[in-house]
Structure formats: structure tokens, C-alpha cells
Amino acid sequence: MLKRSTMACLLILFLPAAVPAQTPLKEAFKKDFRIGAALNPGYFTETDAVGTALVKQHFNAITPENDMKWERIHPRPDAGPAGYNFENADKYVAFGEKNGMFIIGHCLVWHSQVPRWVFQNAEGKPLDRAGLLQRMREHILTVVGRYKGRVNGWDVVNEALNEDGTMRKSPWFDIIGDDYIARAFEYAHEADPQAELYYNDYNLEYEAKRNGAIELVKKLKQQGIKITAIGTQSHDKMDRPTAQQIEDSLNAFKALGVKVVVTELDVDVLPAVTRQPTADVSARAEATPNSNPYTSGLPDDMQKALAKRYAEIFAVFLKHKDLITRVTFWGVTDRYSWLNNFPAAGRTNYPLLFDREGKPKPAFDAVMQEAKAVK
Ligand code: GLA
């Protein structure tokens, strides 16, 4: 017979080592706002095991990175089933439901990643206003209608503004006129009266563009059109926008009577290759060795600087937690971030909280620290 003390020792020896369970981001911020991630199919089809596990552990809101954009979900010029491809979007929504997540649809009306035929008639000539409105309505009713009651919020219109706050001359604007935004929101509301509806844009921390967004929201509200929140993309740089600019924009939005959702947060750590900060996906630049300095890993001082930058950003968000209902990162791990290829292709960027292997970075700890600091 073994003595009790020997048995206890044996038990301890054979018990698996207690791994300190990492507090999920969504838990740390549960009293403040939802924590979201943009997903590519590797995550929502669960083929990327490491990434999927991170999504389930840390995030309670999801956005499809590309699979609901017009060119993916409605690639062919047909209003019936032949025009649409719901395969990935269906899987994305099912994944969110299975995991009890807040599901975002992204995005209904945008000038990028939309096929050219959308703006043309059967002869290949520009469509007229009535024709394009009809096409827009049909698209929105079909897509939003399909996921009615399942997708909780939609990015209805993306990036309608220029940097100076005027309306972007997109085909939507040119053909329909500036009420295309109001109509898009109306159609989305018609298709799912319960869904939250957002206007989503980048660089809203800069005054001129911010004022454009404020005008746009005011106009919608004056017309009695439902808009739930401004989506501020927050594709940030290490030094821009400043914490003060982020704070100023949140204060300005507060007066509008809408919420704010941070829709696409990441921090570009690489040297700038465009003169102005932009998230316009059509921007292109050449990668040079100087603009791609961290191909074999992010040095410690940069890890620390990134952690500090994330802490400063979250400190502002937390200060405005009554206004902000969600903070979504544009991706999960650095490996699949769009910033490895934007605005210059083939660079090695480090914009998120998890590294290429899915391990939390010092920036992750810094964000968790901020969550604790406000409690
Ligand atoms: C914009 C869009 C997103 C995405 C990013 C880059 O911000 O809203 O869908 O394309 O650009 O990935």
C-alpha cells in the first residue's frame, strides 16, 4: 500500500501542468464594449486551427473581411439566384451563430470591390438614376433580407467622403446624386427593421473629413432615416492620428445622438509610403528595402512602442465607453493582415495584437492593462 503522502506526490506529478488561462479580451472589456475581429474564410470555416481558436476565445463580434462585398456576394449581373454567391457568407453567419457572436454585415454600398456592370445597362452604357436605385434596392433587399434577424448590424455605406469632407465622386454619387446614402439606409431598414445600421469611413479623426461625416449624419437624422452609429475605421499609424484627434472626433460625434463603432482597428508600424495617411484600397506604392525594415521580426523597442500606442488608443476608447459600443480589429494575427500588402505589396507588417504564430504580443498585454486600469 502506498502512503497517502506518496500518493499525493504521484498525483501532482501526473497532473497536467496548470497553464495560466489567458483572460479573453472580450471578458476584460465586457462592461465596456464588444471586441470584434474581421474574419477571412480560414477562420470561419475553421481550417486555420490556431486562428479559429483565438477568434472563439477572445472575440464576441465578427465582420467578414471580404465575403459580403458586392464582387463576392453578387458577382454576376442577374437579380435572381444566378447573380449571387452566398456560399462563404452563409458559412460566416453560421459560424457567428454557433459561437453566439454579434454578427456584422460588410458592406452594402461602396465604390471599391464592386463589379463594373453594376453601373452599366445591358448595352454597357452608364445606367440612369432610376436603374441604379432599383439595382441597389434589389441588392440590399436580397442580401440583408437573406440574413434578417441573424446579422445584427450592417455597414450600409462605406467611404462616401473625400478627405476635405465633400462627397466622393463615386459612380453611386455621379449617377444617383448625394441622396444615394439616404436611399441605401432606407432600403437596409426596410429589409431588416431590427438591424443596426452604420456609416463607415476612415480618417474621421481629421477635422475636415470629420465635419463631412457629421453633416452626413445630421442630414440623415433630419430626414428621419435610421442610422445607429458612425463606424470609424481607425486604420492608424504609430503617430497619427494623435490621441487628442481621436478624442476630439469622439467628442464631436457625441452631440449627434448616434453611437460610435470602431470598425477596422489596426496600427501600421512600417514607414509611410504614401504622402498622406489613407485606407483607400486603390492606393498603391512600391515596397523598397527601406520601407520594409522588419522582415525577420519586430525589434523589442518597436514592440514596446506599439504596445504604448495601443495603450494610448484604448485609454481614449475607454474614456468614451458610453459612446462606443464595439471595437473591431481588422484581422486576428499579423500573418494575414491586409497591411502586409497595402499600400505596398509584399511587406512584413505587425499591426495587430497577435503575432504570426498567434501568440499575444506586448501590445496585447498593454490593452489588457488598460482594461484593468479603468475598473
Ligand atoms: C476598407 C474596407 C475594408 C477593407 C479595408 C482593407 O477599410 O472597409 O473592407 O477592404 O479597407 O482591408
Side-chain angles (χ1 to χ4, degrees):
M1 273 285 271
L2 287 174
K3 279 207 214 135
R4 259 173 191 240
S5 56
T6 323
M7 275 175 55
C9 285
L10 280 174
L11 248 179
I12 288 169
L13 265 177
F14 290 107
L15 273 177
V19 183
Q22 202 174 58
T23 309
L25 282 168
K26 63 184 176 190
E27 281 302 313
F29 289 96
K30 91 169 168 261
K31 296 212 181 85
D32 310 315
F33 30 67
R34 292 188 179 93
I35 297 286
L39 305 188
N40 64 43
Y43 301 125
F44 60 75
T45 61
E46 311 202 26
T47 44
D48 175 341
V50 172
T52 307
L54 287 175
V55 173
K56 291 183 182 174
Q57 185 183 355
H58 289 285
F59 300 94
N60 51 16
I62 53 173
T63 304
E65 191 168 349
N66 285 300
D67 290 287
M68 283 180 166
K69 290 177 180 169
W70 196 308
E71 68 179 9
R72 296 282 178 100
I73 207 166
H74 191 176
R76 288 171 296 276
D78 192 304
Y84 288 87
N85 178 0
F86 294 114
E87 205 184 320
N88 275 356
D90 283 357
K91 288 181 187 159
Y92 160 78
V93 174
F95 174 84
E97 285 183 318
K98 192 173 104 191
N99 294 290
M101 291 159 167
F102 193 85
I103 304 172
I104 310 300
H106 171 84
C107 51
L108 297 169
V109 174
W110 190 25
H111 61 276
S112 289
Q113 296 185 260
V114 54
R116 206 172 301 165
W117 63 258
V118 172
F119 307 107
Q120 296 171 345
N121 63 21
E123 287 82 50
K125 300 259 162 53
L127 210 55
D128 58 13
R129 171 180 157 92
L132 188 54
L133 277 173
Q134 194 190 358
R135 189 164 279 170
M136 183 206 260
R137 179 165 185 271
E138 181 276 320
H139 175 85
I140 292 177
L141 291 192
T142 305
V143 175
V144 177
R146 183 176 181 90
Y147 303 111
K148 183 178 178 183
R150 301 173 69 201
V151 165
N152 306 95
W154 285 93
D155 290 329
V156 179
V157 175
N158 227 29
E159 305 177 356
L161 294 167
N162 293 315
E163 298 307 283
D164 65 0
T166 58
M167 292 288 292
R168 185 193 285 271
K169 304 272 175 275
S170 70
W172 296 109
F173 177 87
D174 286 344
I175 298 175
I176 299 176
D178 67 0
D179 70 327
Y180 85 86
I181 300 178
R183 301 290 81 76
F185 276 82
E186 278 176 352
Y187 301 153
H189 184 55
E190 179 186 347
D192 187 350
Q194 301 305 322
E196 295 191 353
L197 306 179
Y198 321 117
Y199 172 71
N200 185 40
D201 213 330
Y202 59 86
N203 282 356
L204 296 182
E205 298 81 5
Y206 303 104
E207 203 178 342
K209 193 161 183 180
R210 175 203 308 156
N211 287 339
I214 290 173
E215 282 318 303
L216 193 154
V217 173
K218 275 189 184 158
K219 242 168 129 180
L220 292 179
K221 303 236 359 146
Q222 275 158 12
Q223 296 171 72
I225 290 169
K226 172 174 171 175
I227 168 166
T228 316
I230 295 195
T232 174
Q233 293 185 2
S234 306
H235 291 296
D236 291 342
K237 313 283 176 211
M238 290 294 280
D239 55 349
R240 286 182 292 180
T242 63
Q244 189 62 52
Q245 285 170 316
I246 301 174
E247 170 108 52
D248 290 348
S249 63
L250 292 172
N251 279 327
F253 295 152
K254 208 169 272 176
L256 287 173
V258 292
K259 293 290 182 185
V260 170
V261 282
V262 177
T263 50
E264 309 189 10
L265 178 63
D266 48 21
V267 177
D268 186 347
V269 303
L270 296 181
V273 285
T274 55
R275 197 129 33 97
Q276 299 297 331
T278 181
D280 190 326
V281 292
S282 65
R284 285 282 166 269
E286 282 301 309
T288 61
N290 282 346
S291 73
N292 190 21
Y294 312 124
T295 49
S296 51
L298 194 63
D300 273 358
D301 58 332
M302 282 301 295
Q303 290 281 13
K304 284 199 189 111
L306 179 66
K308 210 166 144 224
R309 175 68 169 144
Y310 261 113
E312 125 179 306
I313 293 170
F314 268 83
V316 181
F317 291 167
L318 283 163
K319 199 166 154 191
H320 295 272
K321 60 186 180 179
D322 293 342
L323 178 67
I324 296 175
T325 57
R326 167 169 57 93
V327 175
T328 290
F329 292 85
W330 203 246
V332 180
T333 72
D334 288 341
R335 183 183 297 266
Y336 300 113
S337 165
W338 73 301
L339 290 174
N340 294 309
N341 291 300
F342 175 87
R347 298 196 297 171
T348 310
N349 215 331
Y350 301 84
L352 296 163
L353 301 187
F354 298 96
D355 71 13
R356 286 175 159 64
E357 275 63 58
K359 298 208 184 63
K361 292 155 61 176
F364 174 90
D365 299 330
V367 165
M368 292 299 260
Q369 215 35 59
E370 285 306 311
K372 282 192 205 130
V374 290
K375 299 291 136 47

